[in-house]
């Protein structure tokens, strides 16, 4: 289990790191917003612990970045005492839980374990289509033995297709499924096309076949042949 710890107080960060490592976690540290962002771009983590008050930005702004990039990373925010609005903002933006400073280290471990458990048990199933496989418990996609790294939207899109093979899915179906109430019905759904294009490219580049077929003017079908 790999954890990214974003905390600018180096003494506190080292303490937490040691405690987590004693508990068997692999810990990476970032002491500011820029470093955290860089690491999140390069590596995948099972959970991220974020101190809200960072010298070069608000830890809150890391949450949407993580939610966009990673399919299933747990997020625990650490807030100053009495910063109620930070907690609310953090949870609204997609954090799983929060911890108020000062906290007992055992409490931190308990929260981290609870978040990881929730993420792993939220679904558990393996979907297979030819050499394409999704482990929904781990939110991992494989082409043969190879792991396919997808954005959250691409992952959701692929999952939707895998649940509905050989069926015509309209752009409206897809947009509604992936964006829910957030989409404007008046939109022309070009963004759906862009996500599909990227997903298709990643699958083909990793050695898969093109299973996503455009049905001109109607939508898309996920199948072996068009
Ligand atoms: Ca701080």
């Amino acid at each position: 289990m790999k954890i990214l710890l974003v905390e600018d107080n180096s003494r506190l960060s080292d303490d937490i790191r040691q405690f987590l490592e004693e508990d068997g976690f692999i810990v990476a540290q970032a002491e500011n917003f820029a470093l955290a962002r860089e690491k999140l771009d390069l590596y995948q983590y099972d959970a991220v612990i974020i101190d809200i008050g960072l010298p070069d930005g608000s830890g809150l702004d890391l949450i949407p970045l993580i939610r966009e990039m990673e399919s299933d990373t747990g997020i625990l925010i650490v807030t100053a005492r009495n910063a109620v609005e930070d907690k609310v903002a953090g949870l609204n933006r997609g954090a799983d839980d929060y911890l108020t400073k000062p906290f007992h280290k055992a409490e931190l471990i308990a929260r981290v374990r609870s978040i990881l458990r929730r993420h792993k048990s939220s679904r558990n199933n393996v979907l297979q289509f030819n050499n394409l496989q999704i482990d929904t418990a781990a939110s991992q996609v494989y082409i043969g033995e190879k792991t396919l790294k997808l954005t959250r939207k691409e992952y959701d899109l692929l999952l939707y297709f895998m649940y509905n093979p050989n069926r015509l899915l309209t752009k409206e179906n897809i947009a509604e499924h992936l964006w829910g109430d957030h989409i404007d019905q008046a939109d022309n759904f070009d963004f759906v096309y862009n996500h599909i294009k990227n997903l298709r490219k990643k699958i083909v580049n990793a050695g898969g076949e093109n299973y996503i077929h455009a049905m001109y003017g109607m939508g898309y079908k996920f199948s072996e042949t068009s």
Side-chain angles (χ1 to χ4, degrees), residues 99-130:
L99 205 55
T100 305
K101 276 184 184 176
F103 51 83
H104 196 278
K105 289 172 197 164
E107 197 186 353
L108 173 86
I109 298 279
R111 295 286 168 96
V112 169
R113 288 217 173 278
S114 151
I115 285 172
L116 290 170
R117 227 177 7 247
R118 222 181 304 157
H119 276 262
K120 295 300 160 194
S121 65
S122 57
R123 305 184 216 106
N124 75 85
N125 210 346
V126 172
L127 293 169
Q128 180 105 33
F129 190 90
N130 279 6

Side-chain angles (χ1 to χ4, degrees), residues 2-7 13 17 27-48 62 65-66 69-70 73 149:
K2 223 170 132 188
I3 292 176
L4 177 64
L5 175 59
V6 186
E7 168 64 68
S13 183
R17 175 190 178 152
V27 183
Q29 290 162 289
E31 66 202 36
N32 57 46
F33 186 93
L35 249 171
R37 195 179 175 155
E38 203 181 305
K39 293 200 172 190
L40 287 165
D41 273 337
L42 291 170
Y43 310 108
Q44 290 209 342
Y45 299 95
D46 297 294
V48 183
L62 290 170
L65 297 176
I66 297 166
M69 289 185 298
E70 305 289 339
T73 298
K149 202 179 167 191

